[in-house]
Amino acid sequence: MLPSAVAGHDLEFLTTFVVNGTVAIDAGALGFWGDLDGQLRVGHVFLSHSHADHVCSLPIFVTNTLDERARNIVVHGHAPVVDSLSRDVFNGRLWPDFLRPASGTRPLLELEETSEGRCCEVDGLRITPIPVDHPVPTMAHLVDDGESAVVISTDSAPTRELWRVAARMPRLKAVFLGASFPEEQSALARIAGHLTPGQVDEELAKIAAGVPVYAVHIKPGHRDAVIDQLRALGRRNLVIGRSDADYVF
Ligand SMILES: [Zn+2]
Ligand SMILES: [Zn+2]
């Protein structure tokens, strides 16, 4: 995972996972990553949904390494997120329209529309978007390199299809699961389409026993309470994720 913009703490304001150095899942923190060579190596970005904490640094990321790139950045997303990028971000107001540049010049960014359940092969990875439950259309991602597979699902209420697909993946080595709000904010969690620790416990029952589940996307203002409540579940395979950690599976 990439740390949020400000170093020296473990609060998660923004969301980006970099896989094998070249593929990013979400672009909340990607353009604010202090390692510019690391940014340059990332050529593909898969977006889970259009919320700002997952896309806000995408325009900055594209601009940061523009001059040194031999090939375009490819952004992969389902139709609603592609539409949002086109209308809300690269619209000539919030940021220049890199998708439809002046005639005679090439676009600086390619958008690849994904379909739910259809796998994309990129840089030795098979990445499959799977729909989850959130206030805007949202995909979790199953990332598989042929030896190990992980699920990344940061923003979802309790869900089913994802766990049905994950159960059929024999190489599943880890799940990164959003655990955003403390129990006392369950009404807000329901409106926001996020999990409380009690709901994380129910989701764990749908995941193969023994697969480590990393709790991520914890709301910064409630981090200590959420972590206390997650630990109180007593689940041995539940780990508090760290946004500055490199995970190897
Ligand atoms: Zn969201
Ligand atoms: Zn989010």
Side-chain angles (χ1 to χ4, degrees), residues 49 51 53-54 134-136 138 155 192 194 217:
H49 64 308
H51 279 163
D53 53 329
H54 300 257
H134 200 51
V136 297
T138 299
D155 292 51
H194 282 292
H217 210 351

Side-chain angles (χ1 to χ4, degrees), residues 118-148:
R118 201 184 70 202
C119 151
C120 307
E121 298 209 23
V122 168
D123 291 352
L125 297 170
R126 293 166 58 84
I127 299 178
T128 308
I130 301 154
V132 290
D133 295 279
H134 200 51
V136 297
T138 299
M139 298 288 161
H141 290 96
L142 176 64
V143 182
D144 177 19
D145 72 356
E147 291 184 6
S148 303

Side-chain angles (χ1 to χ4, degrees), residues 161-179:
E161 172 67 6
L162 173 63
W163 307 129
R164 200 179 61 75
V165 173
R168 295 201 309 255
M169 170 51 73
R171 301 183 285 283
L172 188 66
K173 297 287 168 59
V175 172
F176 291 87
L177 183 63

Side-chain angles (χ1 to χ4, degrees), residues 1-3 10 12 16-21 143 145 148-152 173-177 212-218 223 237-249:
M1 269 189 287
L2 286 191
D10 54 5
E12 294 174 64
T16 295
F17 295 76
V18 174
V19 184
N20 292 354
V143 182
D145 72 356
S148 303
V150 301
V151 164
I152 299 173
K173 297 287 168 59
V175 172
F176 291 87
L177 183 63
V213 175
Y214 294 82
V216 296
H217 210 351
I218 300 170
R223 186 171 176 84
N237 62 330
L238 183 59
V239 182
I240 308 301
R242 289 178 51 93
S243 61
D244 57 351
D246 288 331
Y247 293 100
V248 180
F249 301 107

